[in-house]
Amino acid sequence: MGGTQESGTEGIRGGKDGRGGLGNVLSGVAVAVGFVLFLGAFVWGALVYQPYTVPTDSMMPTVNPGDRVLAQRIDGGEVRRGDVVVFTDSMWSDSPMVKRVVGIGGDTVKCCGEGGRLTVNGKELDEPYIEHTKPEAAAAGTGTGTGLGVASDTPFEVTVPEGNLFLLGDRRSASLDSRAHLQEAGQGTVARSAVHARVDALAWPSMAMLERPGTYASLPGGTSQPGPLRLQLAAVLAGAALVVLGAAYGPVVRVLGRGRRREPAGAR
């Protein structure tokens, strides 16, 4: 009789086949929290980021033609040197363009300094992100001798007006950028207000964060900080894990319960 009461009490506490009880409540909470994290991170990401497809090769090797990128929606006032930005300027094109900011208002951008490098306010820039010089070009004396790309095959010196930006592609030999507009008003610079996003990551076909170039860190204003993409991805993964673990609790308990009931009657 006592054994029957004990068995009934365990059934009330644990619920039939492991359903109910504290474990089931916690699994339900885990699933609910997981869904909130998972869906909330996606909504947050959609509000902060916008995907773009880069159609040209002017930003190689950083971004290849056809790559899908995630760009953080920002105000032009948040732009720093070294940022890869998405902007629209009617003097350049009616479509959004992607270039790297190498100079901001008040900067004097010049090419080339000693060693064939770009200079900003007299400081030579180490630009590891630009396209590598082909061996035959270096042998012909058109490279820098360092194995890095040529800073520019077009010599120039521009003082960037306040409120404007000087932009170059990473593939300097094939990019139609500020150098192509030197004879226009502003000497090829673009107003900050033309910028509507900053590229934070490659999304497809490869996935990688876009690092801020250290070469600009020592200049006034430093470099920009990455957006919240890493935090959003972590929230998505954590949410998915909670949903899976919470949903799996009930079936796992039921399987374990069946295993215990199948033990031989004489087992101790």
Side-chain angles (χ1 to χ4, degrees):
M1 187 71 175
T4 303
Q5 290 177 345
E6 184 178 346
S7 176
T9 303
E10 288 177 357
I12 292 171
R13 288 175 180 173
K16 186 179 179 181
D17 293 331
R19 294 187 293 271
L22 180 60
N24 194 52
V25 171
L26 292 177
S27 70
V29 171
V31 170
V33 172
F35 269 120
V36 170
L37 281 174
F38 189 83
L39 296 178
F42 268 111
V43 173
W44 183 19
L47 292 174
V48 175
Y49 287 95
Q50 185 169 351
Y52 290 91
T53 299
V54 178
T56 70
D57 62 357
S58 67
M59 283 300 295
M60 290 178 64
T62 306
V63 184
N64 294 314
D67 279 0
R68 195 80 164 164
V69 300
L70 291 177
Q72 181 185 5
R73 293 182 172 94
I74 62 167
D75 181 82
E78 301 176 54
V79 174
R80 299 288 183 272
R81 302 178 191 89
D83 287 345
V84 176
V85 297
V86 182
F87 67 98
T88 305
D89 187 289
S90 58
M91 297 293 291
W92 292 42
S93 172
D94 293 329
S95 302
M97 302 189 72
V98 179
K99 303 292 179 188
R100 188 182 297 274
V101 177
V102 298
I104 61 175
D107 285 346
T108 297
V109 184
K110 180 180 179 181
C111 194
C112 295
E114 293 182 8
R117 294 184 176 186
L118 197 71
T119 68
V120 174
N121 302 329
K123 174 182 171 58
E124 286 194 351
L125 300 183
D126 178 19
E127 299 184 281
Y129 46 78
I130 66 177
E131 185 182 50
H132 287 261
T133 303
K134 295 180 179 179
E136 56 269 24
T142 58
T144 63
T146 64
L148 297 178
V150 178
S152 175
D153 54 8
T154 303
F156 62 86
E157 182 172 354
V158 172
T159 298
V160 184
E162 290 296 335
N164 283 23
L165 306 166
F166 194 82
L167 304 117
L168 298 177
D170 286 355
R171 192 182 189 192
R172 302 286 164 81
S173 61
S175 176
L176 293 176
D177 43 41
S178 287
R179 297 169 300 170
H181 302 271
L182 292 173
Q183 304 307 316
E184 299 171 6
Q187 290 186 282
T189 60
V190 171
R192 282 182 175 269
S193 58
V195 174
H196 42 87
R198 175 172 53 216
V199 177
D200 231 11
L202 304 177
W204 188 90
S206 60
M207 296 183 64
M209 296 295 294
L210 228 62
E211 300 298 329
R212 270 48 175 182
T215 190
Y216 298 94
S218 62
L219 293 171
T223 55
S224 63
Q225 295 300 311
L229 184 58
R230 284 192 174 96
L231 182 58
Q232 292 166 353
L233 291 175
V236 167
L237 293 175
L242 284 173
V243 169
V244 171
L245 292 174
Y249 173 80
V252 169
V253 170
R254 286 195 292 272
V255 169
L256 293 176
R258 291 192 190 102
R260 285 194 297 269
R261 285 197 298 272
R262 289 171 185 169
E263 290 181 358
R268 292 291 185 270

